[in-house]
């Protein structure tokens, strides 16, 4: 039987490959792209479970041989060929509407309508997932798609299909949180090094400084399909008081006794798989980390971040031509050579001008959907955190200057307020503000042109 299935598959691949326009002459091997397209046709035909597994494996192997041009061609083919059938959608909708007008609830017709409006691409991806090790391969495939579709907007429907399926496959019920330790597998350590984008690490020695001391922790979410490869990870420092500068958290220095700490600072949160962008794990991980660290160290009095403000500089330069005060502030910041070049009196004067504008940017500036324009603010405020304190200068790296002139912000996570503030944010777009940030927030919202959202930033808040 297995031999018969093998012959059947070989004949089917041969037939599919040869009947294409421009296919190789008989006797010549099919290209990887042709094999992949043929595999997809087989997967979408009436094929048995065992054969589906073999064909899916062949499809993923062929995909792995493609260069970027071949991948673009494959994505375009899938997007076009396995789209919804407009006639079927219209027909299914008409049957459902007719049933409702006749006084029926039309449950059966509604199910058929749901089936009709789902693109065949989603079924193709599900069937590809039958191959051994397919789920991580499909996550990588989506990472390729996201990279290659930046100048190909017609591929966005396929990305939406990937996101729809991956959100289901990687839902919270399948995730397992674990602490990463110096004894964790070396491949896991290497993965953290490669995917730390908020505060990149140069080598394993730098990673050791974030793992080894008693006042440092790293936690990650894992999924059965990815084994020891984390989906998202968060780095924690046990400190005294809210951190206001990033250097003490990253640079070598004396560790403190965890028993003397009063604050758990979550200073870096990273998605570790580019193909899972848009699948929300970070909020669950943060809340679980807070719960676990709080149980381990019940004397801690506060949990907070020291977060970047990645879109601020771009926003300021876009808004400056419309508001004279912002234009003067932007001009002074742009002509300075960084905070190191400013004398203490100039720093204080600049801080008094900059902090209210930063507060406005985080708490007042909104997108069309009513949520903050800053991606990191959306993430933490959407989790129910409170925008608490602005810090400048907090990060003197060139990258931080490019993002926010070196400014950072503390978001406080107060366990007894998270759920209520999350609901207020989701339902009413209410931004929770407190502490020193509230004190510098302008009382009235200044008139301004529509605030545009900055482009996507590297890394994850």
């Amino acid at each position: 039987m297995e031999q018969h299935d093998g012959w059947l598959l070989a004949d089917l691949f041969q037939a599919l490959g040869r009947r294409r326009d421009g296919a190789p002459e008989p006797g010549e091997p099919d290209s990887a792209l042709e094999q992949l397209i043929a595999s997809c046709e087989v997967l979408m035909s009436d094929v048995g479970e065992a054969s589906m597994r073999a064909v899916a494996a062949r499809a993923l192997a062929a995909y792995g041989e493609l260069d970027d041009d071949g991948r673009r061609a494959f994505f375009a083919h899938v997007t076009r060929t396995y789209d919804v059938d407009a006639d079927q959608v219209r027909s299914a909708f008409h049957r459902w509407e007719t049933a409702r007008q006749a006084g029926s609830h039309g449950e059966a017709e509604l199910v058929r309508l749901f089936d009709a409006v789902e693109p065949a691409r989603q079924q193709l991806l599900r069937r590809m997932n039958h191959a051994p090790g397919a789920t991580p391969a499909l996550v990588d495939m989506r990472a390729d798609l996201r990279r290659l579709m930046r100048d190909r907007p017609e591929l966005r429907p396929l990305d939406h299909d990937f996101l729809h399926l991956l959100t289901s496959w990687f839902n919270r019920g399948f995730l397992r949180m674990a602490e990463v330790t110096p004894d964790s597998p070396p491949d896991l350590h290497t993965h953290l090094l490669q995917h730390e984008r908020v505060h990149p690490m140069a080598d394993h020695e730098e990673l050791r400084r974030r793992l080894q001391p008693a006042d440092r922790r790293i936690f990650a979410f894992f999924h059965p399909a990815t084994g020891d490869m984390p989906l998202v990870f968060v780095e924690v420092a046990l400190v005294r008081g809210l951190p206001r500068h990033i250097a003490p958290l990253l640079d070598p220095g004396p560790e403190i006794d965890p028993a003397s700490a009063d604050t758990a600072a979550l200073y870096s949160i990273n998605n570790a798989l580019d193909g899972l962008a848009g699948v929300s794990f970070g909020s669950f991980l943060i809340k679980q980390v807070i719960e676990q660290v709080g149980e381990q160290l019940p004397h801690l009095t506060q949990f907070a971040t020291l977060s970047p403000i990645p879109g601020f500089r771009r926003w300021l330069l876009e808004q400056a031509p419309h508001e004279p005060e912002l234009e003067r502030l932007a001009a002074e910041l742009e002509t300075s050579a960084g905070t190191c070049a400013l004398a203490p009196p100039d720093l204080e004067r600049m801080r008094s001008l900059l902090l209210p504008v930063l507060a406005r940017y985080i708490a007042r500036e909104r997108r069309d959907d009513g949520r903050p324009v800053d991606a990191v603010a959306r993430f933490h405020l959407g989790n129910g955190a409170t925008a608490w304190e602005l810090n400048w200068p907090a990060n003197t790296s060139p990258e931080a200057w490019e993002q926010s002139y070196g400014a950072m912000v503390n978001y406080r996570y107060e366990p007894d307020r998270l759920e209520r503030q999350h609901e207020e944010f989701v339902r009413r777009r209410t931004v929770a503000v407190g502490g020193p940030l509230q004190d510098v927030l302008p009382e009235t919202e200044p008139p301004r042109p529509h605030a545009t959202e900055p482009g996507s930033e590297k890394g994850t808040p």
Side-chain angles (χ1 to χ4, degrees):
M1 184 65 178
E2 291 180 0
Q3 186 180 23
H4 173 75
D5 285 346
W7 289 339
L8 175 63
L9 289 173
D11 290 344
L12 193 49
F13 276 125
Q14 189 75 2
L16 287 169
R18 297 304 175 222
R19 74 168 181 243
R20 272 184 173 57
D21 292 337
E25 294 298 324
E28 294 181 7
D30 290 340
S31 71
L33 179 58
E34 289 164 339
Q35 292 181 37
L36 177 53
I37 290 174
S39 299
C40 291
E41 293 189 27
V42 176
L43 284 172
M44 294 300 284
S45 68
D46 292 329
V47 60
E49 187 76 23
S51 295
M52 187 182 300
R53 181 180 174 92
V55 176
R58 184 176 298 205
L60 293 178
Y63 177 82
E65 297 176 12
L66 299 180
D67 59 14
D68 279 354
D69 288 339
R71 291 171 180 174
R72 287 190 188 91
F74 170 66
F75 292 144
H77 170 81
V78 170
T79 303
R80 180 179 61 253
T81 304
Y82 299 103
D83 201 356
V84 297
D85 186 314
D87 291 336
Q88 288 186 9
V89 172
R90 280 191 289 267
S91 177
F93 178 80
H94 177 71
R95 289 194 298 270
W96 174 62
E97 189 69 12
T98 299
R100 291 178 67 245
Q101 290 175 355
S104 167
H105 291 295
E107 292 90 347
E109 290 78 10
L110 184 59
V111 170
R112 295 189 187 98
L113 177 59
F114 286 157
D115 289 340
V117 299
E118 179 184 280
R121 296 182 294 264
Q122 293 187 19
Q123 179 72 344
L124 174 62
L125 294 175
R126 290 191 195 99
R127 294 188 172 192
M128 280 188 174
N129 200 38
H130 280 69
T135 304
L138 290 172
V139 171
D140 290 342
M141 187 184 292
R142 187 193 177 220
D144 291 336
L145 172 63
R146 286 176 53 79
R147 175 173 55 85
L148 296 173
M149 76 178 191
R150 290 168 186 164
D151 57 349
R152 299 287 296 273
E154 69 274 15
L155 300 180
R156 292 191 181 279
L158 177 57
D159 182 63
H160 181 271
D161 294 325
F162 266 106
L163 180 60
H164 174 78
L165 293 174
L166 292 173
T167 299
S168 175
W169 297 347
F170 286 87
N171 74 65
R172 176 65 184 88
F174 294 116
L175 304 184
R176 171 182 60 87
M177 190 186 85
E179 184 173 355
V180 182
T181 70
D183 297 327
S184 296
D187 287 348
L188 172 54
H189 289 173
T190 300
H191 199 76
L192 298 187
L193 277 173
Q194 293 173 345
H195 290 86
E196 166 55 279
R197 294 182 175 89
V198 180
H199 301 296
M201 294 176 278
D203 51 33
H204 283 272
E205 175 60 25
E206 194 166 347
L207 173 62
R208 188 194 65 77
R209 293 201 300 269
R210 302 191 192 187
L211 285 173
Q212 191 77 44
D215 58 359
R216 295 291 186 270
R217 308 278 196 280
I218 296 181
F219 296 90
F221 265 156
F222 298 88
H223 187 278
T226 59
D228 288 334
M229 184 163 35
L231 310 181
V232 60
F233 59 95
V234 57
E235 299 168 50
V236 181
L238 303 176
V239 296
R240 301 185 187 97
L242 286 179
R244 294 181 172 85
H245 303 276
I246 195 63
L249 303 182
L250 304 179
D251 296 342
E255 64 182 86
I256 70 170
D257 181 355
S260 69
D262 60 18
T263 301
L266 291 71
Y267 63 92
S268 186
I269 305 164
N270 292 269
N271 277 341
L273 294 174
D274 294 338
L276 292 178
V279 182
S280 178
F281 306 118
S283 60
F284 297 118
L285 180 60
I286 285 176
K287 291 169 185 176
Q288 197 163 336
V289 166
I290 289 173
E291 181 178 340
Q292 181 160 326
V293 173
E295 290 176 354
Q296 293 173 348
L297 303 168
H299 63 278
L300 295 177
T301 60
Q302 56 185 352
F303 300 88
T305 74
L306 182 60
S307 297
I309 312 175
F312 175 72
R313 179 171 176 263
R314 180 180 300 180
W315 170 83
L316 179 62
L317 294 178
E318 289 175 350
Q319 300 301 315
H322 307 286
E323 298 183 42
E325 289 185 4
L326 296 188
E327 189 170 27
R328 288 191 292 271
L329 175 62
E332 191 164 355
L333 286 166
E334 290 293 312
T335 55
S336 68
T339 57
C340 295
L342 296 174
D346 292 327
L347 275 175
E348 290 304 317
R349 179 182 58 82
M350 189 73 72
R351 182 180 289 109
S352 67
L353 298 173
L354 179 59
L355 293 191
V357 180
L358 285 164
R360 165 187 160 183
Y361 172 71
I362 289 172
R364 296 268 174 79
E365 294 296 322
R366 307 298 179 95
R367 306 190 308 180
D368 286 341
D369 62 4
R371 298 194 297 167
V373 296
D374 188 73
V376 178
R378 288 197 303 274
F379 176 78
H380 290 295
L381 295 168
N383 290 345
T386 303
W388 191 260
E389 184 169 10
L390 293 162
N391 304 286
W392 185 83
N395 188 340
T396 58
S397 72
E399 294 79 12
W401 185 264
E402 287 295 317
Q403 291 184 347
S404 62
Y405 305 104
M408 301 186 77
V409 57
N410 302 117
Y411 293 99
R412 283 191 63 179
Y413 278 78
E414 301 169 277
D416 59 342
R417 305 181 69 170
L418 292 180
E419 293 305 321
R420 179 172 59 82
Q421 292 183 175
H422 164 74
E423 290 297 327
E424 287 292 316
F425 182 87
V426 171
R427 294 171 182 268
R428 300 179 177 84
R429 299 295 188 254
T430 302
V431 170
V433 178
L437 192 147
Q438 187 173 34
D439 295 338
V440 298
L441 186 65
E443 291 185 4
T444 58
E445 205 169 336
R448 60 183 183 278
H450 171 68
T452 57
E453 181 186 8
S456 60
E457 303 293 338
K458 183 179 180 182
T460 302

